[in-house]
Coordinates of all heavy atoms in Angstrom, one line a residue:
T3 N 41.0 70.9 112.6 CA 41.0 72.4 112.6 C 42.4 72.9 113.0 O 43.1 72.2 113.7 CB 39.9 73.0 113.5 OG1 40.2 72.5 114.8 CG2 38.6 72.6 113.0
D4 N 42.7 74.2 112.7 CA 43.9 74.8 113.2 C 43.8 75.0 114.7 O 42.8 75.2 115.2 CB 44.1 76.2 112.6 CG 44.4 76.1 111.1 OD1 44.7 75.0 110.6 OD2 44.3 77.2 110.4
R5 N 45.0 74.8 115.4 CA 44.9 75.0 116.8 C 46.1 75.9 117.2 O 47.2 75.7 116.8 CB 45.1 73.6 117.5 CG 43.9 72.7 117.4 CD 44.1 71.4 118.1 NE 45.0 70.5 117.3 CZ 45.5 69.4 117.8 NH1 45.3 69.0 119.0 NH2 46.3 68.7 117.0
E6 N 45.8 76.9 118.0 CA 46.7 77.9 118.4 C 47.6 77.5 119.6 O 47.1 76.8 120.5 CB 46.0 79.2 118.7 CG 45.3 79.9 117.6 CD 44.8 81.3 117.9 OE1 45.4 82.0 118.7 OE2 43.7 81.6 117.3
F7 N 48.8 77.9 119.6 CA 49.7 77.7 120.8 C 50.3 79.1 121.2 O 50.3 80.0 120.4 CB 50.8 76.7 120.5 CG 51.8 77.0 119.5 CD1 53.0 77.6 119.8 CD2 51.6 76.7 118.1 CE1 54.0 77.9 118.9 CE2 52.5 77.0 117.2 CZ 53.7 77.6 117.5
S8 N 50.9 79.1 122.4 CA 51.4 80.4 122.9 C 52.8 80.2 123.3 O 53.3 79.2 123.8 CB 50.5 80.8 124.1 OG 49.2 81.0 123.7
I9 N 53.5 81.4 123.2 CA 54.9 81.4 123.6 C 55.2 82.7 124.4 O 54.5 83.7 124.2 CB 55.9 81.4 122.4 CG1 57.3 81.0 122.8 CG2 55.8 82.6 121.6 CD1 58.2 80.7 121.6
K10 N 56.1 82.6 125.4 CA 56.4 83.8 126.2 C 57.9 84.1 126.1 O 58.7 83.2 126.3 CB 56.1 83.5 127.7 CG 56.3 84.7 128.6 CD 55.9 84.3 130.0 CE 56.2 85.5 131.0 NZ 55.9 85.2 132.4
F11 N 58.2 85.3 125.7 CA 59.7 85.7 125.7 C 60.1 86.3 127.0 O 59.4 87.1 127.6 CB 59.9 86.8 124.6 CG 59.6 86.3 123.2 CD1 58.8 87.0 122.3 CD2 60.2 85.1 122.7 CE1 58.5 86.5 121.0 CE2 59.9 84.6 121.4 CZ 59.1 85.4 120.6
D12 N 61.3 85.9 127.5 CA 61.8 86.4 128.7 C 62.1 87.9 128.6 O 62.9 88.2 127.7 CB 63.1 85.6 129.1 CG 63.6 86.0 130.5 OD1 63.3 87.0 131.0 OD2 64.4 85.2 131.0
P13 N 61.5 88.8 129.4 CA 61.8 90.2 129.2 C 63.2 90.6 129.5 O 63.7 91.7 129.2 CB 60.8 90.8 130.2 CG 60.5 89.7 131.2 CD 60.5 88.5 130.4
N14 N 64.0 89.7 130.2 CA 65.4 90.0 130.5 C 66.3 89.5 129.4 O 67.5 89.6 129.5 CB 65.8 89.3 131.8 CG 65.0 89.9 133.0 OD1 64.9 91.1 133.1 ND2 64.6 89.1 133.9
S15 N 65.8 89.0 128.3 CA 66.6 88.6 127.2 C 67.3 89.8 126.6 O 66.8 90.9 126.6 CB 65.7 88.0 126.1 OG 65.1 86.8 126.6
T16 N 68.5 89.6 126.2 CA 69.3 90.7 125.6 C 69.0 91.0 124.1 O 69.3 92.0 123.6 CB 70.8 90.5 125.7 OG1 71.1 89.2 125.2 CG2 71.2 90.5 127.2
L17 N 68.4 90.0 123.5 CA 67.9 90.1 122.1 C 66.5 90.7 122.2 O 65.6 90.0 122.6 CB 67.9 88.8 121.4 CG 67.9 88.8 119.8 CD1 69.2 89.3 119.3 CD2 67.5 87.4 119.3
K18 N 66.3 91.9 121.7 CA 65.1 92.6 122.0 C 64.1 92.7 120.8 O 64.6 92.9 119.7 CB 65.4 94.1 122.4 CG 66.2 94.2 123.7 CD 65.5 93.6 124.9 CE 66.3 93.8 126.2 NZ 65.6 93.2 127.4
E19 N 62.9 92.4 121.1 CA 61.8 92.4 120.0 C 61.7 93.9 119.5 O 61.6 94.8 120.3 CB 60.5 91.9 120.5 CG 59.5 91.7 119.5 CD 58.3 90.9 119.9 OE1 58.2 90.7 121.1 OE2 57.4 90.6 119.1
G20 N 61.6 94.0 118.2 CA 61.5 95.3 117.6 C 62.8 96.0 117.2 O 62.9 96.8 116.3
T21 N 63.9 95.6 117.9 CA 65.2 96.1 117.7 C 66.1 95.0 116.9 O 66.7 95.3 115.9 CB 65.9 96.5 118.9 OG1 65.2 97.5 119.6 CG2 67.3 97.0 118.7
H22 N 66.1 93.9 117.5 CA 66.9 92.8 117.0 C 66.1 91.7 116.3 O 66.7 90.9 115.5 CB 67.7 92.1 118.1 CG 68.6 93.0 118.9 ND1 68.3 93.4 120.2 CD2 69.7 93.7 118.5 CE1 69.2 94.2 120.6 NE2 70.1 94.5 119.6
F23 N 64.8 91.6 116.5 CA 64.0 90.6 115.8 C 62.5 91.0 115.8 O 62.1 91.9 116.6 CB 64.2 89.3 116.5 CG 63.4 89.1 117.8 CD1 62.1 88.6 117.8 CD2 63.9 89.6 119.0 CE1 61.4 88.5 119.0 CE2 63.2 89.4 120.2 CZ 61.9 88.9 120.2
V24 N 61.8 90.4 114.9 CA 60.4 90.5 114.9 C 59.8 89.1 114.7 O 60.4 88.2 114.1 CB 59.8 91.4 113.8 CG1 60.2 92.8 114.0 CG2 60.3 90.9 112.5
L25 N 58.7 88.8 115.4 CA 58.0 87.5 115.3 C 57.2 87.5 114.0 O 56.3 88.4 113.8 CB 57.1 87.3 116.4 CG 56.4 85.9 116.5 CD1 57.4 84.8 116.6 CD2 55.4 85.9 117.7
E26 N 57.6 86.6 113.0 CA 56.9 86.7 111.7 C 55.5 86.1 111.7 O 54.7 86.4 110.8 CB 57.8 86.0 110.7 CG 59.0 86.8 110.3 CD 59.6 86.4 108.9 OE1 59.6 85.2 108.6 OE2 59.8 87.4 108.1
N27 N 55.3 85.2 112.6 CA 53.9 84.5 112.7 C 52.9 85.6 113.1 O 53.0 86.1 114.1 CB 53.9 83.4 113.7 CG 55.1 82.4 113.5 OD1 56.2 82.7 113.8 ND2 54.8 81.2 113.1
D28 N 51.9 85.8 112.2 CA 50.8 86.6 112.6 C 50.0 85.9 113.7 O 49.4 86.5 114.6 CB 49.8 86.9 111.4 CG 50.5 87.7 110.4 OD1 51.3 88.6 110.8 OD2 50.2 87.5 109.2
K29 N 50.0 84.6 113.7 CA 49.3 83.8 114.7 C 50.1 82.5 114.8 O 50.5 81.8 113.8 CB 47.9 83.5 114.3 CG 47.1 82.6 115.3 CD 45.6 82.5 114.9 CE 45.5 81.7 113.6 NZ 44.0 81.4 113.3
L30 N 50.4 82.1 116.0 CA 51.1 80.8 116.3 C 50.0 79.7 116.3 O 49.2 79.7 117.2 CB 51.9 80.8 117.6 CG 53.0 81.8 117.7 CD1 53.5 82.0 119.1 CD2 54.2 81.4 116.7
F31 N 50.2 78.7 115.4 CA 49.2 77.7 115.3 C 49.8 76.4 114.7 O 50.7 76.5 113.9 CB 47.9 78.1 114.6 CG 48.1 78.3 113.1 CD1 47.8 77.3 112.2 CD2 48.6 79.5 112.6 CE1 48.0 77.4 110.9 CE2 48.8 79.6 111.2 CZ 48.5 78.6 110.3
V32 N 49.2 75.3 115.1 CA 49.5 74.0 114.4 C 48.4 73.8 113.4 O 47.2 73.8 113.7 CB 49.5 72.9 115.4 CG1 49.7 71.5 114.7 CG2 50.5 73.1 116.5
P33 N 48.7 73.7 112.1 CA 47.7 73.5 111.1 C 46.8 72.3 111.2 O 47.2 71.3 111.9 CB 48.6 73.4 109.8 CG 49.9 74.0 110.1 CD 50.1 73.6 111.6
A34 N 45.7 72.4 110.7 CA 44.8 71.2 110.6 C 45.5 70.0 110.0 O 46.3 70.2 109.1 CB 43.5 71.6 109.9
D35 N 45.2 68.8 110.5 CA 45.7 67.6 110.0 C 47.2 67.5 110.1 O 47.9 66.8 109.3 CB 45.3 67.3 108.5 CG 43.8 67.3 108.4 OD1 43.1 66.7 109.2 OD2 43.3 68.0 107.4
S36 N 47.8 68.1 111.1 CA 49.3 68.1 111.3 C 49.6 68.1 112.8 O 48.8 68.4 113.6 CB 49.9 69.4 110.7 OG 51.3 69.4 110.8
T37 N 50.8 67.6 113.1 CA 51.4 67.6 114.4 C 52.6 68.5 114.5 O 53.3 68.4 115.5 CB 51.7 66.2 114.9 OG1 52.7 65.6 113.9 CG2 50.5 65.2 114.9
K38 N 52.8 69.3 113.5 CA 54.1 70.1 113.4 C 53.7 71.6 113.1 O 52.8 71.9 112.5 CB 55.0 69.6 112.3 CG 55.4 68.1 112.3 CD 56.2 67.8 111.1 CE 56.5 66.3 111.1 NZ 57.3 65.9 109.9
S39 N 54.7 72.4 113.7 CA 54.6 73.8 113.4 C 56.0 74.4 113.7 O 56.9 73.7 113.9 CB 53.5 74.5 114.2 OG 53.3 75.9 113.7
S40 N 56.1 75.7 113.7 CA 57.3 76.4 114.0 C 57.1 77.8 114.4 O 56.0 78.4 114.2 CB 58.3 76.4 112.8 OG 57.7 77.1 111.7
V41 N 58.1 78.3 115.2 CA 58.1 79.7 115.5 C 59.1 80.4 114.6 O 60.3 80.1 114.6 CB 58.6 79.9 117.0 CG1 58.6 81.4 117.4 CG2 57.6 79.1 117.9
S42 N 58.6 81.3 113.8 CA 59.4 82.0 112.8 C 59.9 83.4 113.3 O 59.0 84.3 113.6 CB 58.6 82.2 111.5 OG 58.4 80.9 110.9
I43 N 61.2 83.5 113.5 CA 61.7 84.8 114.0 C 62.6 85.4 113.0 O 63.6 84.8 112.5 CB 62.5 84.5 115.3 CG1 61.5 84.0 116.4 CG2 63.2 85.7 115.8 CD1 62.2 83.6 117.7
K44 N 62.3 86.6 112.6 CA 63.2 87.3 111.6 C 64.2 88.2 112.4 O 63.8 89.1 113.2 CB 62.3 88.3 110.7 CG 63.2 89.0 109.7 CD 62.3 89.6 108.6 CE 61.5 90.8 109.1 NZ 60.8 91.5 108.0

């Protein structure tokens, strides 16, 4: 089955979410039958 993972952005980062980037993943997860995934940042 798919398995979800979590990430935390440092609020003191100078690259700001909504201004400089958006997280493209609707949900962060490792797909079923896999050991790989990625964090997609636009």
Side-chain angles (χ1 to χ4, degrees):
T3 58
D4 295 347
R5 288 179 288 171
E6 294 188 32
F7 65 94
S8 299
I9 196 169
K10 181 180 179 181
F11 295 130
D12 186 340
N14 294 318
S15 297
T16 51
L17 199 73
K18 300 297 184 182
E19 188 169 10
T21 300
H22 303 109
F23 78 93
V24 293
L25 185 62
E26 287 207 314
N27 310 70
D28 293 329
K29 181 174 68 173
L30 295 169
F31 69 96
V32 176
D35 302 318
S36 179
T37 59
K38 303 176 181 180
S39 188
S40 62
V41 179
S42 296
I43 296 176
K44 183 167 71 175

